[in-house]
Amino acid sequence: MNRLSHALTAILSAVTLAACGSAAPQSDDAAAVELRWYCCLGTGEQAEQVKAQQKVIDRFHAAQSRIRVKLEVVTYDSARDTLATQIASGNGPDLAGPVGVGGAAAFHGQWLDLAPLIKSSGFDLSPYAKGSADLYRIGSVQEGIPFAIYPSTLYYKADMFEEAGLAEPPHKYGEKYTWPDGRQSEWNYDTLRELALRLTVDKNGKDATQAGFDPGAIVQYGFEPARDDLRYQGAAFAAGSLDAGDGKTVRIPDAWADSWRFFYDGMWKDRFIMTGPVFETERFNGDGAAFFSGHVAMSVNFLWSTYGVAGAGDDWDLAAMPSHDGRTTSPTSADTFRILAGSKHPAEAFEFLAYLVGPASQELLSAYGAMPARTADQDAFFAKLAEQFPNKVDWQVAKDSVVFADNPHSESHTPKYNQTLTILGTYRSRWMTRGGLDMDAQLKEMRQEIQDVWNRS
């Protein structure tokens, strides 16, 4: 997946000059500055990703001798707690990444403002999509430079649609869905629900719309949401925030409430979404993403799902995100590298960061399965990505989805951020494992529980 120029030394020299201005180069005898690159608050912990990250470090070292970088890999499940401990003990790393909006929000106020370094170095932001740098501007602080974006799309298995005698979902935004009888429907979550019922099948071949369907013997599910974060599930219906706007008051957006009811009813009433216990079974878990099991017809997820989607077979494709109440939203993860405010070597860390988002970017983006934020690199990225799969995939869907990115971002900072996530996780687990709940009461209880936490000093 190496698409870096063979003239790395020359390119890196240009980056070095940009980051350091006209400063005189250090002599070969000068002691090298040692930086720590912390991973993985986001992606990056897979074995092949670690190899790719170390490879770009080795090339950085080969091109110059003033800066040495040590890669520190901590698994995603432990990464937040470990970094918090390091920072509290005064032993924080110099930079971290790739890290998205949510991972960074957990350390709100701890990231270096890059604006002065961007200005003094003359770092060029023009190759990136207009406004993309704003994704990394938190208040007045420019926390990052555009790097990787992961729009959400609808993954689906074409063979399941064909077997059911159904047309595949629309690939182009704005197109309607056509039913076998010729009627057309808006491509929204109501239409998706109707499809999902027909695509949920029991061991006797009955679908969830037919008499005699056995919900205790389902062998194929119609739909799977991205269930790891309730905020993401909510944002699939519409962008929003739990913060009412004053930094003090909790508000559950109406669209998020609609999404969570859709999720809950889909599991316990309509039965086209698997419950938590079913999700955990070997047959359906699919290495953490149920669509990978090959027993799910449709699934909403980020572009990074390409890392394991081959498990679904060679008949999957991408379709447009459904709309809700006339609005279409593609929750979009935006990863980059951030420098810790406590770094003792901010100038050198910025030089290395400029290398990661510059000369090393294409190799890293391929390893992460991430769409480049630099628009000129996107066609090459998808051409390379397509080589990994025997089936023809409509990658244009992912490109078209970017304009529907959620703003405000679902993972943006809120008061008592980590405590809020814990509460959301508790409700998510409850909803996945307990049927018969009153969702109106659940949402009211959740809001009050979060508000109580926000009210504490």
Side-chain angles (χ1 to χ4, degrees), residues 271-283:
R271 302 290 185 172
F272 62 80
I273 298 174
M274 60 188 71
T275 64
V278 173
F279 175 81
E280 295 297 337
T281 62
E282 183 177 353
R283 175 180 177 82

Side-chain angles (χ1 to χ4, degrees), residues 89-430:
S89 65
N91 188 39
D94 295 281
L95 72 162
V99 56
V101 177
F107 298 92
H108 182 67
Q110 312 246 22
W111 305 109
L112 182 71
D113 185 0
L114 301 184
L117 289 166
I118 291 172
K119 182 177 180 180
S120 64
S121 69
F123 190 93
D124 187 8
L125 292 172
S126 64
Y128 303 98
K130 183 179 180 181
S132 60
D134 294 339
L135 289 170
Y136 311 98
R137 184 174 294 114
I138 310 300
S140 61
V141 178
Q142 184 69 45
E143 293 185 352
I145 293 171
F147 173 65
I149 50 178
Y150 306 86
S152 293
T153 59
L154 184 79
Y155 291 73
Y156 73 94
K157 283 179 62 66
D159 64 329
M160 293 183 179
F161 279 80
E162 182 178 7
E163 184 177 0
L166 296 167
E168 296 175 22
H171 288 207
K172 293 184 180 300
Y173 285 96
E175 285 188 348
K176 294 186 176 182
Y177 182 78
T178 303
W179 294 95
D181 61 5
R183 95 184 140 91
Q184 290 192 320
S185 301
E186 294 293 331
W187 181 231
N188 57 27
Y189 281 94
D190 292 333
T191 302
L192 182 144
R193 175 184 175 276
E194 191 173 345
L195 280 172
L197 289 167
R198 298 190 188 194
L199 291 164
T200 299
V201 183
D202 68 15
K203 66 179 181 180
N204 299 313
K206 298 278 190 181
D207 72 47
T209 69
Q210 296 176 315
F213 170 74
D214 184 357
I218 297 173
V219 297
Q220 173 183 303
Y221 282 86
F223 179 66
E224 172 64 16
R227 62 176 69 213
D228 56 341
D229 191 324
L230 288 181
R231 297 169 302 167
Y232 174 42
Q233 286 183 9
F237 274 46
S241 173
L242 293 173
D243 188 340
D246 59 5
K248 298 183 294 184
T249 306
V250 178
R251 176 191 61 195
I252 295 177
D254 290 343
W256 289 21
D258 291 343
S259 172
W260 295 341
R261 291 189 186 97
F262 182 90
F263 173 51
Y264 189 78
D265 288 346
M267 287 187 291
W268 300 104
K269 178 182 176 182
D270 296 326
R271 302 290 185 172
F272 62 80
I273 298 174
M274 60 188 71
T275 64
V278 173
F279 175 81
E280 295 297 337
T281 62
E282 183 177 353
R283 175 180 177 82
F284 291 106
N285 183 259
D287 192 25
F291 187 76
F292 299 170
S293 72
H295 303 301
V296 177
M298 298 180 287
S299 178
V300 164
N301 218 324
F302 292 116
L303 183 62
W304 67 48
S305 290
T306 52
Y307 81 87
V309 73
D314 59 5
D315 52 11
W316 63 273
D317 206 345
L318 302 179
M321 288 288 289
S323 64
H324 174 68
D325 281 348
R327 295 176 297 178
T328 300
T329 310
S330 169
T332 299
S333 183
D335 284 0
T336 192
F337 305 92
R338 288 168 165 83
I339 298 174
L340 272 296
S343 171
K344 296 180 176 62
H345 308 287
E348 290 83 359
F350 184 79
E351 182 175 337
F352 182 61
L353 183 151
Y355 164 73
L356 293 178
V357 301
S361 63
Q362 292 189 46
E363 183 158 5
L364 289 174
L365 289 163
S366 293
Y368 300 148
M371 182 174 170
R374 186 182 290 110
T375 54
D377 294 340
Q378 290 176 359
D379 286 343
F381 163 76
F382 282 111
K384 190 69 175 180
L385 185 61
E387 296 175 4
Q388 300 178 25
F389 306 103
N391 49 311
K392 185 177 180 180
V393 179
D394 188 356
W395 301 112
Q396 186 62 42
V397 176
K399 297 180 187 178
D400 293 344
S401 298
V402 175
V403 298
F404 299 101
D406 51 326
N407 185 16
H409 198 278
S410 64
E411 298 178 2
S412 294
H413 177 72
T414 65
K416 304 298 177 65
Y417 189 82
N418 291 330
Q419 296 97 314
T420 300
L421 289 189
T422 297
I423 293 171
L424 291 173
T426 297
Y427 278 86
R428 167 186 164 273
S429 297
R430 182 186 303 166

